[in-house]
Amino acid sequence: MINFLNATFIKSCPNRNEKPQAQKPEVLIVGRSNVGKSSLINALTQKKKLAFTSSKPGHTRLLNYYDVDNQFYLVDAPGYGYAKGGIDLDRLFAEMMSSYFENNSDLRLVLILLDARRELSDDDLEIVEYVKENKIPFALVITKYDKVNQKEKSALNKYLKEMGLVNEQVFYTSILKNDSLSLLKKGIENSL
Ligand SMILES: Nc1nc2c(ncn2[C@@H]2O[C@H](COP(=O)(O)OP(=O)(O)OP(=O)(O)O)[C@@H](O)[C@H]2O)c(=O)[nH]1
Ligand SMILES: [Mg+2]
């Protein structure tokens, strides 16, 4: 049993070459900006501000490593889907991510976060295609599931079916619902 409450921030890295020295299995969290990455890390670890540092300006383009119970690293990737001040953050994101994925034998699982209320963006689809093509284990994590009503839940399911994603591993989560978080924790444990 992994104790998710025993979690600490280790470091922010501009690329994977600068990852923490101690080698551990890694679980990567990706998703567009505002999908709920930091909130999910805080909810899983029951720490209000663990992932707070990563949302400060300047940290946004870094990979943030969190140690969970000395068992594995949760890696918070920068959110994609926005360009600021004329900088093509998506290009930087793509470069950082390809360097992250290259020869990464520690990577056990990619959690692709998707907002329950939104359709997949081109970036979301690109990531899904990428992990499928490269046979990287992944799971879809629907976030903010508390914000959708029954009708929207059916529409979401229909949409996932249409996208050919319904047979993938899907977790329906809300940071307000502990049972949804427990299922995700089990899924993470099983991947390690
Ligand atoms: N109701 C509800 N709100 C959520 C949930 N998860 C996240 N949020 C809200 O969504 C907003 C964005 O969450 P963040 O965790 O900051 O999103 P992020 O993906 O880390 O965003 P970036 O760091 O910009 O990439 C916050 O206002 C959260 O409170 C959820 O399960 N339910
Ligand atoms: Mg964040």
Side-chain angles (χ1 to χ4, degrees):
M1 268 291 271
I2 293 174
N3 178 10
F4 279 75
L5 277 46
N6 181 19
T8 49
F9 171 70
I10 303 295
K11 68 183 289 198
S12 298
C13 324
N15 58 59
R16 198 167 171 279
N17 295 336
E18 290 174 44
K19 75 185 185 70
Q21 274 182 344
Q23 201 174 4
K24 286 173 195 171
E26 296 180 14
V27 175
L28 179 73
I29 297 185
V30 294
R32 78 167 95 184
S33 191
N34 202 50
V35 70
K37 295 178 298 299
S38 305
S39 305
L40 187 66
I41 290 175
N42 290 337
L44 289 172
T45 58
Q46 290 180 31
K47 293 197 173 26
K48 282 204 173 74
K49 288 185 177 171
L50 185 66
F52 184 66
T53 44
S54 66
S55 65
K56 276 186 196 161
H59 286 262
T60 46
R61 276 186 271 149
L62 302 171
L63 293 162
N64 294 299
Y65 278 74
Y66 300 90
D67 177 282
V68 181
D69 206 21
N70 287 314
Q71 307 274 331
F72 74 100
Y73 293 122
L74 259 183
V75 184
D76 190 8
Y80 47 76
Y82 55 90
K84 238 187 213 163
I87 308 166
D88 186 351
L89 286 177
D90 283 340
R91 190 181 55 78
L92 292 172
F93 175 82
E95 279 169 13
M96 179 194 289
M97 285 295 102
S98 52
S99 84
Y100 177 84
F101 285 119
E102 263 164 38
N103 305 317
N104 187 343
S105 57
D106 299 320
L107 182 60
R108 294 291 181 276
L109 181 68
V110 179
L111 298 176
I112 302 173
L113 272 54
L114 304 169
D115 191 316
R117 301 162 304 172
R118 305 182 66 163
E119 298 199 338
L120 274 72
S121 67
D122 289 346
D123 296 317
D124 293 329
L125 290 170
E126 243 176 72
I127 296 228
V128 171
E129 281 312 306
Y130 185 89
V131 292
K132 275 190 178 174
E133 245 166 56
N134 292 280
K135 306 212 174 354
I136 299 167
F138 74 99
L140 302 177
V141 177
I142 309 296
T143 62
K144 311 187 190 182
Y145 205 51
D146 57 283
K147 288 200 174 187
V148 290
N149 61 31
Q150 210 50 51
K151 202 173 150 205
E152 291 167 315
K153 283 178 185 172
S154 324
L156 174 66
N157 240 341
K158 189 163 164 252
Y159 177 68
L160 290 176
K161 253 184 214 149
E162 282 165 9
M163 301 301 289
L165 294 171
V166 82
N167 293 324
E168 307 298 345
Q169 196 175 15
V170 186
F171 295 95
Y172 299 86
T173 68
S174 159
I175 55 169
L176 308 173
K177 299 264 189 288
N178 272 323
D179 50 346
S180 75
L181 300 171
S182 299
L183 284 175
L184 179 57
K185 286 181 193 179
K186 279 208 189 93
I188 291 173
E189 281 203 64
N190 290 339
S191 76
L192 296 173

